[in-house]
Amino acid sequence: MNILLLGSGGREHALAWKMAASPLTDKLYCAPGNAGIARDAECVALDLADHSAVVAFCRNTGIDFVVVGPEAPLCAGIVDDLESAGIKAFGPTRDAARLEGSKGFTKDLSRANTIPTAAYQRFRAVAPAKAYLRKRGTPIVVKADGLAAGKGVVVAQDLAEAEAAVDMMFSGGLGEAGGEIVIEDFLDGEEASFFALCDGETAIALTTAQDHKRAYDGDKGPNTGGMGAYSPAPNIDATMSGRVMAEIIMPTLRAMKTMGCPYKGVLYAGLMITREGPKLIEYNARFGDPETQVLMLRLMSDLVPALLASRDGMLKSFDLRWYDDPALTVVMAAKGYPGQYARGTVIEGLDDAAKVEGVEIFHAGTKAVGGKILANGGRVLDVSAIGKTVSEARRRAYEAVSRIRWPEGFYRRDIGWRAVERETK
Ligand SMILES: Nc1ncnc2c1ncn2[C@@H]1O[C@H](COP(=O)(O)OP(=O)(O)O)[C@@H](O)[C@H]1O
Ligand SMILES: [Mg+2]
């Protein structure tokens, strides 16, 4: 098959790496890709917002299957546009991607189907939102309804902070995403990311992960797209996984089918594991980044037939095998990220770093110029490793990090601390 992967981050590099290894893949393209992806796929300059350009490329190149990485094109209906042009595509339609594109949609669906989630209300105006805040008390969580690239949620410790979040969102601080908001109760517990592959009717649990969203050690500093991750999540055992499938994932699939928008693709549930059990924080309609980097290291089976079975509605008799060994990834970011940062700085030592046992380096934001690898984004590299234990995977990943010479970059030194603490207890 000729396959086109859409996206340019570390998630897409990990997917490209895994798909390139499939015997089903004749030729792999990636748009727009990056310098690391270029090792596994032919990168093509396409604007993903221009769906007709993507369709035209598929027709001219004889693409058999398109795999969509990021949420923005999914929510903009790229799968609908490809499929109506007769091109098979992996991922949810625009209507199904509302599970990520509208937090209010997912909350309403959860309430209607008794899926465990925090109590909430939706608002379109300041005064009723603030009245609800006062009634509910703190801590409380204020969320923009739409896609906000990780900047749309404020976990407020006091009323002033919560009211400021309401004012910021309704005064256009997050653009259209904040035109409507959700206010929900604070959930106490430990988070985990749960991934299920869906075909509209059936879902198979992939595996789990935990990530680190804050920029600095000790889970301090500003929120980012994710500074590291590891898999599996130590707080999700087989029993808990069964509960998540039965109480959260399957009722969602049934509801989406009943509403006429069956969900196909990866359903990524952000969970809070509370004393009463798993609760849904949010859904994402795609693979996680950087969680995919560790998932792909642990996936033993061929990825391509799994993605095809999701698209074709054939997951019922499908099975995926995973290595038991945990994997961990350390994100290297440009100094200043998630704020202002420089592009174009030189990165050296990558080949030497990649020689560390069990290590795979995925590129998140790089470009190649004149034989040199240059930083080309906020999150730049995902230094990933598999090992017999999280501690071993972590040692390997940091050994590789230490071989990378990039003075303009930074990374957290404590990725995986929760899991390592559990192992060494
Ligand atoms: N109800 C809640 N209780 C406690 N923490 C929450 C709650 N909702 C969100 N959070 C925290 O905020 C983070 C971001 O919220 P989430 O709904 O996942 O939005 P997004 O990923 O789109 O920014 C979560 O990972 C979690 O740490
Ligand atoms: Mg989230």
Side-chain angles (χ1 to χ4, degrees):
M1 300 185 89
N2 293 326
I3 303 178
L4 171 65
L5 171 66
L6 302 182
S8 63
R11 163 184 51 214
E12 286 76 24
H13 190 189
L15 293 172
W17 173 76
K18 192 69 187 158
M19 290 198 290
S22 169
L24 290 175
T25 306
D26 290 318
K27 173 103 192 181
L28 180 63
Y29 296 88
C30 183
N34 66 39
I37 294 173
R39 291 201 307 253
D40 296 300
E42 183 178 329
C43 294
V44 284
L46 284 175
D47 174 6
L48 303 191
D50 185 351
H51 295 188
S52 47
V54 176
V55 168
F57 174 82
C58 292
R59 288 212 170 111
N60 297 336
T61 319
I63 296 295
D64 303 295
F65 189 42
V66 178
V67 175
V68 186
E71 63 276 17
L74 293 169
C75 290
I78 196 150
V79 168
D80 310 59
D81 291 338
L82 287 163
E83 290 280 352
S84 37
I87 301 153
K88 284 190 179 199
F90 172 79
T93 60
R94 176 167 47 195
D95 282 353
R98 281 180 295 174
L99 284 175
E100 174 161 5
S102 167
K103 286 198 163 32
F105 174 84
T106 292
K107 296 298 286 189
D108 288 353
L109 180 138
S110 300
R111 180 141 73 195
N113 295 277
T114 47
I115 292 166
T117 189
Y120 75 102
Q121 255 187 59
R122 302 174 75 169
F123 297 96
R124 293 189 150 275
V126 171
K130 288 189 176 172
Y132 183 75
L133 287 177
R134 282 191 292 274
K135 190 176 88 189
R136 227 46 213 177
T138 53
I140 194 147
V141 185
V142 181
K143 300 187 172 186
D145 184 75
L147 294 184
K151 296 187 169 67
V153 172
V154 175
V155 180
Q157 296 307 324
D158 57 57
L159 196 60
E161 201 186 340
E163 292 193 334
V166 168
D167 286 330
M168 177 275 284
M169 289 178 194
F170 280 134
S171 62
L174 299 170
E176 261 180 49
E180 178 168 351
I181 67 170
V182 170
I183 299 179
E184 67 181 42
D185 287 1
F186 178 81
L187 295 172
D188 205 8
E190 185 178 338
E191 289 185 67
S193 303
F194 188 99
F195 299 88
L197 190 63
C198 308
D199 71 355
E201 204 151 327
T202 309
I204 56 177
L206 297 177
T207 182
T208 57
Q210 283 184 319
D211 70 344
H212 296 267
K213 283 273 184 262
R214 302 298 195 96
Y216 312 132
D217 287 5
D219 292 320
K220 300 215 165 62
N223 258 316
T224 71
M227 293 300 290
Y230 47 97
S231 172
N235 59 343
I236 306 221
D237 59 11
T239 311
M240 184 59 75
S241 174
R243 283 191 66 178
V244 173
M245 288 300 285
E247 296 172 27
I248 297 177
I249 304 290
M250 291 315 296
T252 301
L253 278 201
R254 287 193 292 271
M256 294 299 283
K257 191 174 172 225
T258 306
M259 288 169 75
C261 45
Y263 188 91
K264 293 183 176 189
V266 172
L267 190 55
Y268 161 178
L271 302 175
M272 189 70 85
I273 308 302
T274 71
R275 268 201 304 262
E276 300 103 73
K279 296 205 174 174
L280 180 66
I281 297 177
E282 64 151 357
Y283 274 130
N284 296 299
R286 33 105 193 151
F287 279 107
D289 189 347
E291 292 92 335
T292 305
Q293 290 79 315
V294 284
L295 260 55
M296 291 305 116
L297 281 184
R298 296 190 56 230
L299 180 60
M300 192 187 294
S301 306
D302 190 350
L303 177 65
V304 173
L307 303 183
L308 280 167
S310 158
R311 148 64 178 75
D312 292 339
M314 300 293 281
L315 280 178
K316 204 165 192 170
S317 51
F318 211 86
D319 188 31
L320 279 174
R321 302 189 62 202
W322 299 85
Y323 295 108
D324 287 333
D325 294 359
L328 178 144
T329 186
V330 177
V331 173
M332 296 183 78
K335 278 181 185 161
Y337 172 80
Q340 297 279 339
Y341 54 82
R343 285 175 199 261
T345 56
V346 179
I347 303 166
E348 294 177 304
L350 286 169
D351 291 340
D352 190 32
K355 288 186 188 129
V356 178
E357 192 180 352
V359 163
E360 209 52 61
I361 299 172
F362 298 117
H363 291 217
T366 60
K367 69 177 179 186
V369 176
K372 289 202 167 84
I373 298 292
L374 307 184
N376 191 38
R379 291 188 294 171
V380 173
L381 297 169
D382 304 308
V383 183
S384 316
I386 191 159
K388 286 284 161 231
T389 59
V390 180
S391 310
E392 185 178 65
R394 170 150 109 155
R395 237 180 352 261
R396 289 172 168 178
Y398 280 110
E399 167 61 26
V401 166
S402 77
R403 296 184 185 190
I404 294 171
R405 297 187 300 281
W406 181 35
E408 295 83 5
F410 80 100
Y411 56 90
R412 280 182 57 162
R413 286 157 203 277
D414 63 346
I415 299 303
W417 66 265
R418 270 204 182 85
V420 169
E421 223 165 59
R422 277 182 167 97
E423 272 179 8
T424 49
K425 234 193 317 221

